[in-house]
Each structure stands twice: as C-alpha cells, then as structure tokens.
Amino acid sequence: MTDNIVEAFSKTRKAGAIASAALDEVVKIVKPGIATEQIDKLCFEFINDHGAYSAPLFYRGFPKSSCVSPNHVVCHGIPRDKILREGDIINVDVTVLKDGWHGDTSRMFFVGEVSTKAKKLIKTTYESMMKSINILKDGIRIGDIGSTIQGYVESKGFSVVRDFCGHGIGKNFHEEPNILHYGDPKTGNELKTGMIFTIEPMINEGKYETKILNDGWTAVTKDKTLSAQFEHTVGITDKSYEIFTLSKSGLDFPPYKI
C-alpha cells in the first residue's frame, strides 16, 4: 500500500478505536429506566475525554452527539428524555473525528429481556453485515456487498431498507461511493485497495419502506415493525480487508457479557 493509504488506515484505525470503545461504555449503562439522552451524554463525554470530537453534533443541523434509535426507529433517532423500557431494542450510532479522520460504527442493544423475534432480527442483521465484510477484497463490486446482504436477509424473512446506505469515509464524514445493502452481484463500482467505507445494513421485521418524522431526522418503519442495524468502518487492503471499529473487549454482538 502507498504511504497515503498507510496514513489513512492509521488515522482511521485510531478514530475507529475510540468510536468502538464508546459503544463498549454504552454496554455498561443500557437498562430499563434510563433516558436515551443519558446514552448521548456518555458518548459525548467519552469521545471528548479521548481528545476527539463527536462528528454528528451540529452536522447539517443534527442536535446531538449520537443517534439512538429504539424499536421501529430505523436510524437517526435524536436522543431525548425518552425512557427505555424492558423489552426495547436500540441502536446506538457514533462517529468520531480524531486528528482530521473519521471512524463510524453502530451496535444494537437489548434493554432487559427482549422477544425471540427481536433476537432473530438482530442476529440476522449482524450476520448479514459480517457475511458481506467477509467477501471484501480488491476487485469485487459494490453490488456483491448488497446482494450478499439482501440474499441472506430475505432468506430469513426480513427486508432490507432502501432509503439509506453505507458510504465512503475519511477526512469527510460522508464521501463516495455509496454502499447499497441490496442489489445484484457483479454490478456497481469496483472496490480498490485503499478504499475506506462503512457497511451499515438496516433491516426491518416487516416491509422495507420508511418515513421521516416531523423533526426532519428520525426515520421509522412505515408499518411500525421493528428495525435493526449494525455498522462497521472497513478498508480494502492488498489482499483482504480491515475492520477499524471492532470492539477490543469482544462486545460486538448482544447480549453483552461484562
């Protein structure tokens, strides 16, 4: 890899490690009775304490440091005074800006004991992401990522959200290319060594259609069924890939043991 790629990977690795560690801290506080804004406060303080900045804060007017999306919220949930209840599921999405480079990741969390259907949805979402990451290498196409996710998810009886996608990331929060989580194999742009992007499938229990609430940010399922999402920032290496946002504590998939 060239010196520029080595630097990009090194900087993204640092930002990704802070983002992942912030979600490790979230594991410690998620329980019935806390407010989603408490999660946001923890993320903001943790990221600041590590000499970094929460990229979502004020990005295009977004008012908080993280996205917290419970139950049928697909993504971009705004942390508020909403109290989490037993049986809820939530996604927490953080993006760290460190030394001019971004690391972006999200995880699902159980609030107490959750339903069997919620567990199946979350497991399928995580596995679809990891299956698509495991095929990454120089020369495959973006459609290979999407078809891997879509084929697996639909075989389990769920649907892939069309309205949002993964994205290139680096010195900018969002860059080209868009990474669709559905599609046909051997289509789309070719992946090349040095590319850094997110894979972040949003998977619905019911139909894939979404709508945006009046706050201009919060996306929900139109049919009010559950939605789940995981996200990693990844890079294409000479022979394979690197995941920049893995948990160093092994807390990548719930239920989390701490």
Side-chain angles (χ1 to χ4, degrees):
M1 294 193 294
T2 67
D3 289 345
N4 286 343
I5 293 174
V6 170
E7 179 190 13
F9 273 48
S10 176
K11 294 289 183 65
T12 304
R13 199 175 290 126
K14 291 176 182 177
I18 296 170
S20 177
L23 294 185
D24 289 349
E25 292 299 307
V26 172
V27 170
K28 300 174 183 178
I29 69 166
V30 170
K31 62 181 179 180
I34 74 161
T36 56
E37 62 187 3
Q38 290 175 257
I39 296 171
D40 183 71
K41 182 174 184 290
L42 181 152
C43 292
F44 173 80
E45 292 177 350
F46 182 90
I47 291 167
N48 275 13
D49 288 347
H50 286 77
Y53 181 77
S54 296
L57 185 60
F58 307 131
Y59 179 76
R60 297 180 180 174
F62 190 78
K64 296 291 185 175
S65 295
S66 61
C67 300
V68 182
S69 303
N71 299 324
H72 73 292
V73 177
V74 175
C75 61
H76 303 156
I78 299 174
R80 305 183 190 275
D81 57 0
K82 176 181 171 57
I83 301 298
L84 298 178
R85 306 186 188 283
E86 183 84 16
D88 285 345
I89 60 172
I90 60 166
N91 176 271
V92 181
D93 189 340
V94 296
T95 307
V96 165
L97 177 61
K98 172 72 172 175
D99 297 333
W101 291 78
H102 292 81
D104 190 0
T105 187
S106 81
R107 283 180 223 162
M108 295 299 299
F109 296 82
F110 299 162
V111 183
E113 289 296 320
V114 305
S115 68
T116 299
K117 69 178 181 180
K119 289 178 181 177
K120 181 183 177 185
L121 174 66
I122 290 170
K123 183 173 186 286
T124 298
T125 304
Y126 179 76
E127 289 175 346
S128 75
M129 176 184 69
M130 294 309 299
K131 283 178 182 294
S132 72
I133 290 174
N134 287 337
I135 69 167
L136 294 178
K137 62 180 180 180
D138 184 284
I140 73 162
R141 295 186 178 274
I142 290 175
D144 297 320
I145 297 172
S147 64
T148 297
I149 292 169
Q150 183 180 10
Y152 184 71
V153 166
E154 291 180 355
S155 76
K156 299 293 184 179
F158 301 122
S159 63
V160 180
V161 170
R162 279 20 176 207
D163 296 332
F164 304 95
C165 61
H167 52 89
I169 190 168
K171 291 183 178 179
N172 297 311
F173 193 165
H174 294 90
E175 300 179 351
E176 293 295 328
N178 290 331
I179 307 296
L180 302 182
H181 303 118
Y182 62 95
D184 298 318
K186 297 182 170 55
T187 62
N189 293 342
E190 195 172 293
L191 302 183
K192 296 293 187 182
T193 297
M195 291 178 68
I196 299 173
F197 52 89
T198 70
I199 298 179
E200 46 182 300
M202 287 145 273
I203 308 303
N204 292 348
E205 176 195 0
K207 297 179 179 179
Y208 63 74
E209 288 87 359
T210 69
K211 66 177 181 179
I212 306 296
L213 299 186
N214 291 335
D215 61 25
W217 284 101
T218 306
V220 300
T221 57
K222 273 192 174 180
D223 59 11
K224 298 184 179 180
T225 57
L226 294 176
S227 187
Q229 179 188 22
F230 285 89
E231 177 182 15
H232 275 314
T233 298
V234 299
I236 304 297
T237 65
D238 287 331
K239 295 182 179 179
S240 185
Y241 62 86
E242 179 175 348
I243 304 175
F244 298 109
T245 46
L246 284 173
S247 167
K248 288 183 169 59
S249 301
L251 303 174
D252 292 297
F253 178 80
Y256 303 111
K257 306 296 184 184
I258 57 173

